[in-house]
Amino acid sequence: MEAGPAQRRRAATCLFLNRAALRTEGDIRPDGSISKPWKLCTLQQVEDLKTLIRIFPLWSTGILLGIPIGIQMSLVVLQALTMDRHLGPHFQIPAGSILVFESIFVCIGLFLFDRLIWPFWRKLRRRSPTPLQLIGVGHVLNAAGMAVSAIVETKRRNVARTAAAHHQLLQGGGVAPISAFWLVPQLAIVGVAASFHFPEQVALYYQEFPSSLKSMSTAVIGLIAGIAFYLSTAVIGCVRRVTGWLPDNINDGKVDYVFWMLVAVGVVNFGYYLVCAILYKYRNLETEDGGSA
């Protein structure tokens, strides 16, 4: 039977690893069992390792995508603490609750994608968008959200400093007379971006991982989020030690510089992602006409 494109592609990847499955004298016991399991691997184990190696570059771009999100979530709460969060004369939104808008727009983004973008794409291109294409859209929107964050922070800081100069700060001098709802656009963009890249990363890993690793594929996203949020804390600590951008009173700092730094990280990471996506060959994806996408 002639091997299909997927089998030929798997056979031609990381050929040096195939040596781990070569049997030598003494590797097999008389009863047929493997005498040295750490020395001799099965073909399936070799192919599983090849899959992980092939997808690792794409996986690493997810970490660099999550770090700006973690930093933004921390800084947005600090920004909200220095902004007017009142809804009416008697109710004030808790600063941490401002992040709920991101979750709301994740849901809106998923709905729009399922009901509008996906059908329009299929009608226009006569095939479904690939996971890598949709993850790329998420990268672009995420970087755009960081740019909007920088612009909004510049406005917030200018208003705060002007109010301080005229003794117009609210609540004992710590809150600028600017609505916290100015933070919603950046959260909306990042939320919509997440509705593109996170679900499609799950789909990509589940699609590309071999059957023996399917259960692991869905946990990969949780690993990305965990590593990214830990690293985001480390990045904030480094910025505080090395620069004066994040003092205790952010009205005296340059938080917008942090966001512009995240824009630069997003642009570089997107370039890295494009290289990885162009070089990556789908393992299991087949188009409706039977060809490899």
Side-chain angles (χ1 to χ4, degrees):
M1 180 183 295
E2 183 180 357
Q7 285 86 350
R8 290 196 296 270
R9 188 180 303 131
R10 288 197 293 272
T13 303
C14 298
L15 294 177
F16 65 94
L17 292 177
N18 293 341
R19 299 183 61 183
L22 293 177
R23 290 188 297 179
T24 59
E25 186 177 355
D27 287 341
I28 305 298
R29 296 191 181 98
D31 61 359
S33 61
I34 299 176
S35 60
K36 298 178 180 179
W38 287 101
K39 181 180 178 181
L40 182 64
C41 300
T42 66
L43 288 174
Q44 185 60 52
Q45 289 172 331
V46 173
E47 292 300 330
D48 290 351
L49 178 59
K50 288 181 181 180
T51 298
L52 295 178
I53 292 174
R54 289 175 59 249
I55 211 163
F56 177 79
L58 288 171
W59 178 80
S60 64
T61 64
I63 296 177
L64 295 176
L65 184 64
I67 291 175
I69 296 175
I71 294 176
Q72 187 205 44
M73 291 176 68
S74 298
L75 296 182
V76 160
V77 175
L78 293 179
Q79 290 175 297
L81 286 170
T82 63
M83 302 174 77
D84 183 9
R85 292 174 277 117
H86 282 91
L87 280 178
H90 304 296
F91 180 75
Q92 181 173 253
I93 302 174
S97 297
I98 200 73
L99 295 174
V100 76
F101 285 103
E102 184 170 331
S103 300
I104 291 173
F105 279 94
V106 169
C107 297
I108 293 174
L110 290 171
F111 175 80
L112 292 177
F113 176 74
D114 184 62
R115 299 298 180 181
L116 295 178
I117 299 176
W118 185 283
F120 177 75
W121 184 288
R122 287 180 63 91
K123 184 177 180 180
L124 182 66
R125 300 291 301 276
R126 299 185 182 278
R127 64 178 182 179
S128 301
T130 65
L132 291 178
Q133 290 172 333
L134 297 175
I135 294 171
V137 173
H139 276 264
V140 174
L141 291 177
N142 200 66
M146 299 303 147
V148 172
S149 298
I151 295 171
V152 171
E153 168 57 20
T154 300
K155 179 176 179 60
R156 186 207 65 80
R157 189 185 63 222
N158 291 339
V159 170
R161 291 181 176 178
T162 301
H166 294 84
H167 306 287
Q168 294 176 344
L169 290 177
L170 308 177
Q171 299 182 16
V175 177
I178 179 174
S179 173
F181 287 100
W182 276 90
L183 301 173
V184 172
Q186 65 200 52
L187 295 173
I189 296 174
V190 173
V192 172
S195 70
F196 278 89
H197 60 77
F198 274 128
E200 293 307 317
Q201 286 185 79
V202 174
L204 175 67
Y205 301 139
Y206 191 82
Q207 167 188 286
E208 295 297 291
F209 276 29
S211 299
S212 58
L213 297 177
K214 290 293 186 185
S215 60
M216 174 185 170
S217 63
T218 55
V220 168
I221 296 300
L223 184 60
I224 287 176
I227 294 175
F229 276 67
Y230 273 116
L231 291 179
S232 68
T233 302
V235 170
I236 290 177
C238 289
V239 170
R240 284 178 61 87
R241 285 195 298 268
V242 176
T243 71
W245 298 349
L246 292 174
D248 293 336
N249 183 359
I250 63 172
N251 291 338
D252 299 326
K254 296 180 179 179
V255 180
D256 53 329
Y257 286 15
V258 179
F259 285 124
W260 286 121
M261 179 188 71
L262 298 180
V263 173
V265 171
V267 171
V268 172
N269 186 42
F270 180 58
Y272 171 47
Y273 172 80
L274 284 179
V275 173
C276 295
I278 291 171
L279 296 178
Y280 187 81
K281 301 299 182 182
Y282 283 107
R283 181 175 182 269
N284 296 318
L285 183 64
E286 300 291 329
T287 60
E288 293 178 355
D289 60 3
S292 177

Short mmCIF file of all heavy atoms in Angstrom, two decimals, residues 81-86 92 159-160 163-164 167-179 251:
data_model
loop_
_atom_site.label_atom_id
_atom_site.label_comp_id
_atom_site.label_asym_id
_atom_site.label_seq_id
_atom_site.Cartn_x
_atom_site.Cartn_y
_atom_site.Cartn_z
N LEU A 81 -7.81 51.57 39.83
CA LEU A 81 -7.76 52.13 41.19
C LEU A 81 -7.54 53.64 41.19
O LEU A 81 -7.89 54.32 42.16
CB LEU A 81 -6.65 51.46 41.99
CG LEU A 81 -6.92 50.02 42.45
CD1 LEU A 81 -5.65 49.40 43.01
CD2 LEU A 81 -8.03 49.98 43.49
N THR A 82 -6.97 54.17 40.11
CA THR A 82 -6.68 55.60 40.04
C THR A 82 -7.66 56.33 39.13
O THR A 82 -7.40 57.47 38.72
CB THR A 82 -5.25 55.84 39.53
OG1 THR A 82 -5.14 55.33 38.19
CG2 THR A 82 -4.24 55.14 40.42
N MET A 83 -8.79 55.69 38.79
CA MET A 83 -9.79 56.29 37.90
C MET A 83 -11.15 56.28 38.58
O MET A 83 -11.38 55.54 39.54
CB MET A 83 -9.83 55.53 36.56
CG MET A 83 -8.49 55.49 35.84
SD MET A 83 -8.48 54.45 34.36
CE MET A 83 -9.34 55.50 33.19
N ASP A 84 -12.04 57.10 38.06
CA ASP A 84 -13.39 57.21 38.62
C ASP A 84 -14.20 55.99 38.20
O ASP A 84 -14.50 55.80 37.02
CB ASP A 84 -14.04 58.49 38.12
CG ASP A 84 -15.43 58.71 38.73
OD1 ASP A 84 -15.79 57.95 39.65
OD2 ASP A 84 -16.13 59.63 38.27
N ARG A 85 -14.59 55.16 39.16
CA ARG A 85 -15.30 53.91 38.88
C ARG A 85 -16.78 53.98 39.27
O ARG A 85 -17.43 52.94 39.40
CB ARG A 85 -14.62 52.76 39.61
CG ARG A 85 -13.23 52.44 39.08
CD ARG A 85 -12.50 51.39 39.92
NE ARG A 85 -11.87 52.00 41.09
CZ ARG A 85 -12.18 51.72 42.34
NH1 ARG A 85 -13.15 50.87 42.62
NH2 ARG A 85 -11.54 52.30 43.34
N HIS A 86 -17.30 55.15 39.45
CA HIS A 86 -18.68 55.29 39.90
C HIS A 86 -19.67 55.03 38.76
O HIS A 86 -19.48 55.45 37.63
CB HIS A 86 -18.91 56.69 40.47
CG HIS A 86 -18.38 56.84 41.86
ND1 HIS A 86 -17.09 57.28 42.13
CD2 HIS A 86 -18.96 56.61 43.07
CE1 HIS A 86 -16.90 57.31 43.43
NE2 HIS A 86 -18.02 56.91 44.02
N GLN A 92 -20.02 52.04 43.18
CA GLN A 92 -18.68 52.10 42.61
C GLN A 92 -18.23 50.68 42.23
O GLN A 92 -18.31 49.76 43.04
CB GLN A 92 -17.70 52.71 43.61
CG GLN A 92 -16.27 52.82 43.07
CD GLN A 92 -15.36 53.58 44.01
OE1 GLN A 92 -14.99 54.72 43.75
NE2 GLN A 92 -15.02 52.96 45.13
N VAL A 159 -4.38 63.37 32.36
CA VAL A 159 -5.51 63.90 33.12
C VAL A 159 -5.17 63.92 34.61
O VAL A 159 -5.48 64.90 35.33
CB VAL A 159 -6.78 63.05 32.87
CG1 VAL A 159 -7.89 63.43 33.84
CG2 VAL A 159 -7.26 63.22 31.43
N ALA A 160 -4.54 62.87 35.10
CA ALA A 160 -4.20 62.79 36.52
C ALA A 160 -3.21 63.88 36.91
O ALA A 160 -3.34 64.51 37.97
CB ALA A 160 -3.62 61.41 36.85
N ALA A 163 -4.97 67.27 36.84
CA ALA A 163 -5.84 67.40 38.01
C ALA A 163 -5.03 67.62 39.28
O ALA A 163 -5.44 68.40 40.16
CB ALA A 163 -6.72 66.15 38.14
N ALA A 164 -3.89 66.95 39.39
CA ALA A 164 -3.05 67.13 40.58
C ALA A 164 -2.51 68.55 40.64
O ALA A 164 -2.41 69.14 41.73
CB ALA A 164 -1.91 66.13 40.55
N HIS A 167 -5.19 70.63 41.94
CA HIS A 167 -5.78 70.12 43.18
C HIS A 167 -7.21 69.62 42.95
O HIS A 167 -8.12 69.90 43.73
CB HIS A 167 -5.77 71.20 44.27
CG HIS A 167 -4.41 71.78 44.53
ND1 HIS A 167 -3.43 71.08 45.18
CD2 HIS A 167 -3.88 72.98 44.17
CE1 HIS A 167 -2.33 71.84 45.25
NE2 HIS A 167 -2.57 72.99 44.64
N GLN A 168 -7.38 68.86 41.86
CA GLN A 168 -8.71 68.36 41.51
C GLN A 168 -8.81 66.84 41.57
O GLN A 168 -9.76 66.25 41.06
CB GLN A 168 -9.10 68.83 40.10
CG GLN A 168 -9.27 70.34 39.99
CD GLN A 168 -9.54 70.78 38.56
OE1 GLN A 168 -9.33 70.04 37.61
NE2 GLN A 168 -10.02 72.02 38.42
N LEU A 169 -7.82 66.19 42.17
CA LEU A 169 -7.89 64.74 42.31
C LEU A 169 -9.02 64.36 43.27
O LEU A 169 -9.29 65.06 44.24
CB LEU A 169 -6.56 64.17 42.82
CG LEU A 169 -5.39 64.21 41.82
CD1 LEU A 169 -4.13 63.69 42.48
CD2 LEU A 169 -5.70 63.41 40.57
N LEU A 170 -9.66 63.22 43.01
CA LEU A 170 -10.82 62.78 43.78
C LEU A 170 -10.40 61.86 44.92
O LEU A 170 -9.30 61.32 44.93
CB LEU A 170 -11.82 62.06 42.86
CG LEU A 170 -12.24 62.81 41.59
CD1 LEU A 170 -13.16 61.92 40.76
CD2 LEU A 170 -12.92 64.13 41.92
N GLN A 171 -11.28 61.67 45.87
CA GLN A 171 -11.13 60.71 46.97
C GLN A 171 -9.79 60.87 47.69
O GLN A 171 -8.99 59.95 47.79
CB GLN A 171 -11.28 59.28 46.44
CG GLN A 171 -12.64 59.00 45.83
CD GLN A 171 -12.77 57.57 45.35
OE1 GLN A 171 -11.99 56.71 45.72
NE2 GLN A 171 -13.79 57.33 44.53
N GLY A 172 -9.52 62.03 48.14
CA GLY A 172 -8.32 62.24 48.94
C GLY A 172 -7.05 62.38 48.14
O GLY A 172 -5.96 62.23 48.69
N GLY A 173 -7.15 62.61 46.84
CA GLY A 173 -5.95 62.88 46.06
C GLY A 173 -5.40 61.72 45.29
O GLY A 173 -4.35 61.85 44.67
N GLY A 174 -6.06 60.55 45.24
CA GLY A 174 -5.49 59.41 44.54
C GLY A 174 -6.19 59.04 43.25
O GLY A 174 -5.69 58.19 42.51
N VAL A 175 -7.33 59.64 42.96
CA VAL A 175 -8.14 59.23 41.81
C VAL A 175 -8.28 60.38 40.83
O VAL A 175 -8.68 61.49 41.21
CB VAL A 175 -9.54 58.73 42.26
CG1 VAL A 175 -10.40 58.37 41.06
CG2 VAL A 175 -9.39 57.54 43.20
N ALA A 176 -7.96 60.10 39.57
CA ALA A 176 -8.07 61.13 38.54
C ALA A 176 -9.52 61.24 38.06
O ALA A 176 -10.26 60.25 38.06
CB ALA A 176 -7.17 60.77 37.36
N PRO A 177 -9.93 62.43 37.65
CA PRO A 177 -11.31 62.62 37.17
C PRO A 177 -11.49 62.12 35.74
O PRO A 177 -11.79 62.89 34.81
CB PRO A 177 -11.50 64.14 37.27
CG PRO A 177 -10.13 64.69 37.08
CD PRO A 177 -9.20 63.71 37.73
N ILE A 178 -11.32 60.84 35.55
CA ILE A 178 -11.50 60.21 34.24
C ILE A 178 -12.16 58.86 34.48
O ILE A 178 -11.79 58.12 35.41
CB ILE A 178 -10.16 60.06 33.49
CG1 ILE A 178 -10.39 59.37 32.14
CG2 ILE A 178 -9.13 59.32 34.33
CD1 ILE A 178 -9.13 59.32 31.27
N SER A 179 -13.14 58.52 33.68
CA SER A 179 -13.92 57.31 33.89
C SER A 179 -13.09 56.05 33.64
O SER A 179 -12.29 55.98 32.69
CB SER A 179 -15.15 57.29 32.97
OG SER A 179 -15.83 56.06 33.06
N ASN A 251 0.67 57.35 38.84
CA ASN A 251 0.51 58.69 38.27
C ASN A 251 1.86 59.36 38.06
O ASN A 251 1.99 60.27 37.24
CB ASN A 251 -0.36 59.56 39.16
CG ASN A 251 -1.81 59.12 39.18
OD1 ASN A 251 -2.28 58.45 38.25
ND2 ASN A 251 -2.53 59.47 40.23
#
